[in-house]
Structures are given as C-alpha cells and as structure tokens.
C-alpha cells in the first residue's frame, strides 16, 4: 500500500483514522492524479447592478465532482492543493477555462462581461503569475478588460513591495483587481488608503451583509454604510457579497452600493445555466416569496 503512494514518506493506518482525516488523506492523494482535472468544473455567479438588476459581471468558482465523495467544495480542497504545491497548475486550468468560456460567450453574441477568478496569496506572489495569465489572454484572444482577479486582504499584508509590484504589473496589463472578503481581515483603514488607485473593486464580506436589516441596531448597518462610502472616496467600485434578501438589497441601494452578488439573484451555476442568465441579461425583481433558491 505505502509503495503505491509513490513519494509519500508516511504510512496509513486507516483503522485508527477518523473519517475526516481519512477523507483529507484520500483527497490529497486524488488531487495528485492528472485525471482529477476532468472532475473539476467552473461555476459562475452573476454580479448584478443593484439598481437595474442587470448582469454586469460574474465570479468563477471551482467545484470538484468527486466520484466517491460527491461535491467537494473549494474551502476543503484548495488548502490541500496549496500544501501539495499543485495550486498553480489548477490556477492555470481555471484561468484557461474561464478565458476560453468568456470568449466563446462573446463570439456567440452574448453580452460581454468581465469574469473574475480567485487567486491565492501564494500564487499572487509567484513571478510567472502575470505572464501566465497574459499568455492565456492572448491564446484565447480575450481582451484583458474581461478578466479580473480577486485577492483577499491578507494577501496584501504579505510583503508590501512585492505586492505593489504585482498590483502595478496587473494594472499595466489592463487586468482589474477586486479585494475580496473585505472587512473580515485585519488591515486598517489607513492601510487600505495606500492602495488607492491600485484596487478597482472592494467586495464587502458577507458577514456584514448578513447583519443588515431595517430593524438591526444602527451600528451594524453603519459599518456597511461606512465601508461603501470609504470605497467610493477611494474611487473603488463596491460589490456586496452574499446578498440573500430583498431587505438587504434595499438597504444597500439606499447606501448607493452599485453591485450585488448573492443567492437573492442566483447561486453559482454551471456554464450552460449561466449562459441562459446572460442571454436574458437581467433579473426580474424578486418578490418577497421568491428570494433565491434553496439547492446548492
Ligand atoms: P469567495 O471568493 O469569497 O466566494 C464567495 C463564496 O460565497 C462562494 O463559495 C459562493 O458560492 C458563496 N456565496 C455567494 N453568494 C452567497 C449567498 O448569498 N449566501 C451564501 N451562504 N453563500 C454565498 P464557494 O464557491 O464555496 O467558495 C468558497 C471560497 O473558496 C471562495 O470565497 C474562494 O476564496 C475560494 N475559491 C472558490 N473558487 C476558487 C478558485 O477557483 N480558485 C481559488 N484560488 N479559490 C477559490
Ligand atoms: Mg471571490
Ligand atoms: Mg468573497
Ligand atoms: Mg471567501
């Protein structure tokens, strides 16, 4: 058994493992198989104009349809792939798939929209990252304005000069940058100020959106309102993540948040289903009884 596992230096003692660590172990070894790429699929979640309900963009989110474990979510396997040092291969596959798909939609005459991909901190600081991405844009003849990257706050805290160089490098290529899960991390407001002109879009973390309500104590609503105003002061677009209710949408609109993303309009969906949404171009105003769907 141990021999089959190749370079693995450790032995497995299945009977003493709990299910979770057994699953983690199995997922790690499956991730190393080249066949796994065929089990990945990119889902797309629309970014929607808060005022008109028009689709103005999308986020690409990876799914792993595992033959034994079913749907494995990215929060579970991406940390494993990073540990195994194979995340840049997966990132390449994601970027290629998204560029190719976006170009195909444009050629089919669907509205042209930017699609964002998530980039881990480690990948962000790899020197080949920018050329890898631009090579794929050229290969797929996709205008750089239609690809965006999402990074989380902690990525910015890693190494200031290196991070600034990458942000500037992406910007020079015409690739826009989204700061994901904003507010969840620990960066100070003055730190955010130093990225003025370098970050195009601030995505407010779902935890703030969850707290929004007409009846909530004003403090939690006020944080969201302040983040929106700060972003606008810095010349950044704002996307509210994880919008699930009409009430949240109404409050965000009153705060002049321009873009929302969340189950209220759509869950992340496979490419074919997303193409149908894009064909329609906009969502009908959801009624209070019809606020999103309930299947993952
Ligand atoms: P993220 O980039 O912040 O993505 C948003 C997550 O929130 C997604 O989960 C999405 O399905 C979920 N979401 C969106 N709207 C709602 C809502 O209204 N309600 C609720 N409850 N959830 C909502 P997902 O797809 O499981 O991804 C989780 C995280 O995994 C992502 O967070 C991102 O950090 C990472 N990830 C996903 N795909 C990729 C990828 O292709 N590459 C990399 N490096 N990371 C990825
Ligand atoms: Mg994201
Ligand atoms: Mg996010
Ligand atoms: Mg997240």
């Amino acid at each position: 058994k141990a021999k089959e596992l190749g370079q693995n230096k450790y032995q497995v003692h299945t009977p003493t493992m709990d299910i979770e660590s057994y699953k983690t172990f199995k997922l790690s070894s499956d991730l190393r198989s080249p066949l796994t790429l065929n089990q990945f699929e990119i889902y797309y979640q629309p970014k929607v104009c808060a005022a008109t309900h028009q689709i103005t963009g999308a986020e690409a989110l990876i799914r792993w349809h595992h033959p034994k474990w079913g749907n494995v979510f990215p929060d579970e396997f991406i940390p494993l792939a990073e540990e195994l040092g194979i995340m840049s291969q997966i990132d390449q596959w994601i970027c290629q798939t998204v560029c190719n798909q976006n170009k195909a939609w444009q050629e089919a005459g669907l509205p042209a929209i930017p699609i964002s991909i998530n980039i881990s901190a480690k990948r962000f600081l790899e020197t080949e990252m920018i050329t890898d991405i631009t090579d794929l844009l050229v290969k797929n003849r996709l205008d750089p304005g239609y690809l965006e990257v999402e990074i989380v706050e902690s990525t910015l805290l890693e190494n200031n000069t290196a991070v600034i160089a990458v942000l500037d490098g992406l910007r020079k290529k015409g690739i826009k940058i989204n700061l994901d899960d904003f507010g969840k991390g620990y960066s100070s407001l003055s730190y955010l100020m130093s990225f003025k002109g370098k970050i195009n879009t601030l995505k407010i973390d779902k935890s703030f959106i969850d707290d929004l309500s007409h009846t909530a104590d004003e403090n939690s609503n006020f944080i969201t309102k302040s983040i929106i105003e700060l972003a606008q002061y810095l010349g950044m677009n704002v996307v509210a993540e994880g919008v699930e209710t009409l009430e949240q949408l109404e409050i965000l609109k009153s705060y002049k948040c321009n873009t929302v993303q969340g189950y209220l309009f759509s869950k992340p969906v496979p490419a074919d289903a997303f193409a149908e949404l894009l064909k329609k171009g906009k969502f009908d105003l959801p009624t209070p009884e019809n606020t999103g769907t309930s299947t993952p």
Side-chain angles (χ1 to χ4, degrees):
K1 252 276 163 280
K3 208 168 179 187
E4 274 174 37
L5 299 167
Q7 328 92 308
N8 263 333
K9 283 169 199 75
Y10 42 89
Q11 271 271 357
V12 217
H13 301 287
T14 310
T16 63
M17 274 187 179
D18 58 57
I19 286 282
E20 272 313 303
S21 47
Y22 176 70
K23 183 180 180 188
T24 302
F25 173 78
K26 293 300 274 179
L27 290 178
S28 287
S29 82
D30 292 345
L31 273 173
R32 271 176 298 216
S33 156
L35 296 174
T36 298
L37 275 188
N38 301 319
Q39 296 163 6
F40 289 145
E41 185 178 3
I42 300 295
Y43 276 36
Y44 298 86
Q45 187 178 35
K47 295 179 186 176
V48 182
C49 172
T52 65
H53 308 160
Q54 202 138 11
I55 299 177
T56 54
E59 176 173 9
L61 296 155
I62 195 169
R63 297 288 179 264
W64 182 6
H65 306 295
H66 193 282
K68 283 210 202 70
W69 300 99
N71 245 338
V72 184
F73 281 86
D75 283 332
E76 191 170 9
F77 72 85
I78 286 180
L80 300 178
E82 279 175 346
E83 227 169 273
L84 293 166
I86 56 169
M87 200 50 213
S88 49
Q89 278 159 261
I90 298 176
D91 280 324
Q92 276 296 93
W93 179 85
I94 294 165
C95 190
Q96 163 58 25
T97 305
V98 170
C99 290
N100 182 273
Q101 182 63 80
N102 203 1
K103 184 70 185 181
W105 282 332
Q106 291 182 10
E107 290 191 327
L110 294 174
I113 53 157
I115 302 181
S116 57
I117 56 174
N118 292 281
I119 303 255
S120 67
K122 186 166 168 288
R123 175 66 175 158
F124 192 74
L125 290 170
E126 278 173 11
T127 46
E128 321 78 48
M129 191 267 298
I130 296 180
T131 44
D132 285 350
I133 291 182
T134 45
D135 286 353
L136 289 176
L137 287 169
V138 170
K139 183 182 158 203
N140 291 286
R141 295 172 296 114
L142 185 72
D143 185 290
Y146 296 116
L147 184 73
E148 299 187 354
V149 300
E150 299 199 2
I151 52 170
V152 292
E153 263 176 295
S154 55
T155 305
L156 298 179
L157 299 168
E158 295 266 314
N159 170 338
N160 202 44
T161 29
V163 164
I164 297 279
V166 179
L167 291 175
D168 287 342
L170 286 168
R171 201 158 42 97
K172 279 201 200 98
K173 300 285 184 189
I175 300 165
K176 294 200 173 80
I177 296 136
N178 291 235
L179 188 53
D180 204 353
D181 300 356
F182 182 77
K184 203 175 146 183
Y186 307 96
S187 56
S188 65
L189 296 186
S190 59
Y191 197 74
L192 182 68
M193 297 279 179
S194 69
F195 293 101
K196 183 175 183 182
K198 300 193 185 296
I199 288 165
N200 305 85
T201 301
L202 207 66
K203 298 188 76 177
I204 308 175
D205 190 65
K206 182 179 186 303
S207 56
F208 297 105
I209 310 306
D210 287 343
D211 288 343
L212 286 183
S213 98
H214 290 303
T215 51
D217 79 290
E218 345 184 312
N219 295 345
S220 57
N221 288 2
F222 185 74
I223 294 175
T224 301
K225 188 168 188 270
S226 307
I227 295 175
I228 294 167
E229 284 170 3
L230 173 70
Q232 282 162 351
Y233 171 78
L234 293 172
M236 299 172 185
N237 295 317
V238 190
V239 176
E241 293 193 272
V243 176
E244 293 180 345
T245 69
L246 271 176
E247 186 183 23
Q248 291 163 351
L249 177 68
E250 288 309 318
I251 295 171
L252 288 162
K253 259 174 24 189
S254 76
Y255 295 164
K256 311 245 173 351
C257 172
N258 34 26
T259 310
V260 299
Q261 185 183 345
Y263 294 177
L264 174 66
F265 288 110
S266 174
K267 294 206 161 186
V269 293
D272 287 353
F274 186 78
E276 289 307 312
L277 297 177
L278 202 52
K279 218 173 273 174
K280 267 190 86 186
K282 67 181 286 214
F283 291 94
D284 300 322
L285 182 73
T287 58
E289 309 85 68
N290 172 31
T291 53
T293 47
S294 54
T295 44

